[in-house]
Every structure is written in C-alpha cells, then in structure tokens.
Amino acid sequence: MAIGFTFTFTYKIMSKEKILVIGACGQIGVELTLELRRLYGGTNVIAADLREENELIKGTGPYVSLDVMNKEMLHVQVIRQGITQIYLLAAILSATGEKNPNLAWHLNMQSLLNVLDIAKEEKLTRIFWPSSIAVFGPTSPKKNCPQQTVIEPVTVYGISKYAGEFWCNYYFHRYAVDVRSMRYPGLISYKSSPGGGTTDYAIEIFYAAREEKKYNCFLREDTYLPMMYIPDAIRATIELMQADAEKISVRTSYNVSAINFSPNEIATEIKKHIPEFTITYQPDYRQAIADSWPQSVDDSVARKDWGWKEEFNLATMAKEMLNNI
Ligand code: NAD
Ligand code: AKB
C-alpha cells in the first residue's frame, strides 16, 4: 500500500514537468536527455543544441536547433513549449577555453544569465547548471578539497564557473529562482565524445587501448584528478534536481566526488584486461591546468544534504568502459 502510494505520488510530480536540455548533443547532454526521457516521457523533454541532432537521441523525443546566446529565441521556445525546467549544459570547457578565453567567458556567462533571467520572468520551477572542480586553483587544498575554502581559479573556464556559481546563488536569494548546481569532476563516458576538457585523457585512453593497445598521455603519470563515471553523474544530477528544496543548503554549487586516480593507475587497471597495453607520457599545456586543480574533493555536504553516494569505482568503471567500446 505504502509503496503504491509513493510510486503514484512521484509519477504525478514528474509528469507535470516540461524540460528543456540545452547542449543536449554534448558528452553529458546525450545521456542526460535519454535518462530524463525515460523518467518524464519522451515528449516532455525537449533536446536543444547548436549541432545536428545526435544519432542516439534521434527518435526518442523532440529536438530544436537553438543558440542559447539568442535570448529572444530561447524565451520564445520556453513559452511556446511550456517549459518548466531547464538543464543548461552548453559551455566551453577548460582546454578549449584556454585557446579562446574571450569566447569561453562570453558563452559560459551569457548563456547562464539568459537562462536565469528567463527563469525569473517565467517563474520556471527548477534550473540545473553544472559547475566544475575547475573552480579550484593552486591555492586550494590539494587533497579532500572542502566545500568552502580558498578558491582562486587560474583558467578562464574556472573563473567563469566560479562567477556562475555566485550568479546562481544571487538569483536564488534575490529572485527565488530554484537553481541547483554541482561541481562535476572529470566525467568518463563512451556514448558521446568529450568536448575539450583536461580530463579527456581518461576517455581517450580507453579508445587507444582498444584500438592500438598503446596511448601517449598528455598529462604526467602521477597527475591525480577527481573523476566520475557518467551513470553516477547522471543519477547525481537527477537526485539533486528531485531533492526537496529545504534539503538544499548550498546555493552556489555542491562538491561531488567518486573516483580519484592518476594516468599511471588507470593504465595499470587497463592492463588487467589488455596485458599488452603500454602508455607513454608527453605532458602539454593541459598539465598546468591539471596541476592547478585538487586531487580529490570533500563532498560530505552533498552526502548529508541530499544523500549523494557513488556506485562505480576505478575497477568497475574501467571494466564497463572496455566492454562497451
Ligand atoms: P560538451 O562540450 O560535450 O557539450 C556542450 C554542448 O553544448 C555541445 O553539444 C555544443 O554543441 C552545445 N553548445 C555550445 N554552444 C551552444 C550554444 N550557443 N547554444 C546551444 N548549444 C550550444 O560539454 P559537456 O562535457 O557535455 O559539459 C556539459 C556541462 O557540464 C558544461 O557546463 C561543462 O562545463 C560541465 N562539466 C563537464 C564536465 C565533463 O567532464 N564533461 C566536468 C565538469 C563540468
Ligand atoms: C574539463 O576537463 O575541462 C572538464 C571539467 C573537469 O570541468 N572535464
């Protein structure tokens, strides 16, 4: 009886939402769109991107071609489609951002301000906008980096994420926009390609291991970084978005953590499956970016507030990646 009641209640809450995913053809967007469509129904989740529709989401629900920088068109879509929630994923990531800092700042900031303004005006129920471990800089603690600490990012991407966190906080306190955020670690996935980050080596290495049995890594062997397998990231995102508002004590962005490893450790794990695999190291400009980030973060606040807990560790993630590539 109790189980039946809970299920019906949950379904009713979910069924009235109409969701817009902006950046739906990116590394996270594809998998997040598919999972949201499974939960809320295909027609209730509108995928939007500048790019051509991704093959994996084709036929699973509506798709619109949209530039998030065009605020008027975005506003029209929100009204026309009766949107109640937005997941904003469009951004330029750390490595690409260093090649074009002005563009990265412009896209990462203006897209968020456009969405927050429309959310305020149209009284949208919830907004999701991801931050990153890239908010932390060389002066932040390297190990178990706390939720609140010294934060002095040195990449344009990190600066944009840190500023964005405070815009989220501002819109929540000033205009009651229920915007939620987490600082994703480097995300590892195989369904859609990564979009120009420093942690992308942890995906490339699996493809290289399968295809060539060797990998030339652009980071040093001992470069520890916080990482997460994408099913955990998608679940974390939806759990945060579905949590009761009174459980959300952080209105900037939550630390979330799962797996911390170095290129040497992931190579050792891959060798358990492909013994002839070899790795070489040729650090490039991305080494300095990685060196400015923490090796691990303390996510105890997310665990306490909304019950975050990862499922995948290095061994289970690597096994799944190799089985699916
Ligand atoms: P991605 O680069 O793979 O995808 C971004 C998508 O946004 C792309 O499909 C792109 O075409 C689209 N886009 C770009 N400009 C647009 C515009 N003007 N209008 C509409 N769409 C536009 O990025 P991702 O890895 O999926 O990251 C999504 C979000 O998560 C970003 O905010 C990123 O900073 C954050 N994040 C990602 C990671 C990670 O490891 N992937 C880690 C931390 C934070
Ligand atoms: C990047 O490397 O830029 C991203 C991130 C950690 O934000 N994966």
Side-chain angles (χ1 to χ4, degrees), residues 16-85:
K16 66 174 192 233
E17 302 295 351
K18 201 82 187 279
I19 297 170
L20 180 64
V21 182
I22 304 173
C25 296
Q27 189 197 356
I28 302 170
V30 168
E31 300 207 34
L32 184 63
T33 300
L34 290 172
E35 182 60 6
L36 288 170
R37 283 180 174 165
R38 192 182 70 77
L39 291 171
Y40 292 84
T43 52
N44 293 321
V45 180
I46 290 97
D49 205 296
L50 272 184
R51 299 196 216 176
E52 242 181 65
E53 188 174 10
N54 182 286
E55 285 301 322
L56 289 176
I57 61 172
K58 243 182 206 166
T60 64
Y63 180 76
V64 291
S65 178
L66 179 88
D67 182 354
V68 67
M69 301 297 276
N70 186 335
K71 191 175 175 187
E72 265 176 47
M73 285 310 295
L74 174 62
H75 204 157
V76 166
Q77 283 293 348
V78 166
I79 293 169
R80 187 184 289 161
Q81 310 266 8
I83 297 299
T84 60
Q85 296 191 357

Side-chain angles (χ1 to χ4, degrees), residues 21-30 48-52 63-70 88-94 96 107-108 111 128-134 157 160-161 182-189 192-200 203 226-228 230 293:
V21 182
I22 304 173
C25 296
Q27 189 197 356
I28 302 170
V30 168
D49 205 296
L50 272 184
R51 299 196 216 176
E52 242 181 65
Y63 180 76
V64 291
S65 178
L66 179 88
D67 182 354
V68 67
M69 301 297 276
N70 186 335
L88 171 58
L89 303 174
I92 290 179
L93 278 74
S94 60
T96 311
L107 173 66
N108 295 2
S111 58
F128 177 77
W129 173 84
S131 183
S132 161
I133 50 140
Y157 175 66
S160 72
K161 289 296 183 189
M182 68 183 68
R183 294 168 177 155
Y184 286 138
L187 301 182
I188 300 166
S189 66
S192 47
S193 320
T198 304
T199 58
D200 292 5
I203 300 170
M227 302 277 188
M228 186 182 283
I230 203 145
W293 293 348

Side-chain angles (χ1 to χ4, degrees), residues 99-273:
K99 291 185 181 152
N100 198 338
N102 285 335
L103 184 67
W105 173 257
H106 190 50
L107 173 66
N108 295 2
M109 282 294 87
Q110 199 55 51
S111 58
L112 177 60
L113 291 172
N114 287 352
V115 167
L116 290 174
D117 259 351
I118 292 169
K120 175 185 86 173
E121 216 164 303
E122 299 305 326
K123 300 197 172 11
L124 302 190
T125 59
R126 259 163 224 187
I127 303 297
F128 177 77
W129 173 84
S131 183
S132 161
I133 50 140
V135 291
F136 298 114
T139 50
S140 304
K142 281 280 166 224
K143 295 203 172 133
N144 290 325
C145 190
Q147 176 68 47
Q148 283 175 312
T149 185
V150 176
I151 299 188
E152 296 179 325
V154 291
T155 61
V156 68
Y157 175 66
I159 299 169
S160 72
K161 289 296 183 189
Y162 198 40
E165 289 188 5
F166 281 91
W167 276 116
C168 292
N169 194 51
Y170 183 83
Y171 269 73
F172 172 72
H173 289 290
R174 175 94 201 256
Y175 304 118
V177 173
D178 188 351
V179 49
R180 300 171 181 206
S181 178
M182 68 183 68
R183 294 168 177 155
Y184 286 138
L187 301 182
I188 300 166
S189 66
Y190 60 87
K191 288 190 184 160
S192 47
S193 320
T198 304
T199 58
D200 292 5
Y201 93 84
I203 300 170
E204 287 176 11
I205 195 170
F206 286 105
Y207 284 90
R210 267 278 170 255
E211 285 156 20
E212 298 170 47
K213 311 223 175 321
K214 61 176 186 189
Y215 180 61
N216 188 25
C217 185
F218 59 75
L219 295 183
R220 251 188 355 253
E221 62 180 321
D222 59 349
T223 311
Y224 278 86
L225 286 172
M227 302 277 188
M228 186 182 283
Y229 191 36
I230 203 145
D232 274 340
I234 300 297
R235 187 172 50 78
T237 305
I238 293 173
E239 282 175 7
L240 174 62
M241 284 294 273
Q242 291 189 344
D244 293 338
E246 58 271 21
K247 290 193 172 158
I248 310 298
S249 70
V250 175
R251 286 295 176 169
T252 48
S253 191
Y254 279 100
N255 279 5
V256 284
S257 143
I259 324 171
N260 312 303
F261 59 80
S262 64
N264 178 47
E265 282 185 0
I266 195 171
T268 304
E269 195 58 41
I270 290 172
K271 276 188 202 165
K272 291 180 188 165
H273 302 266

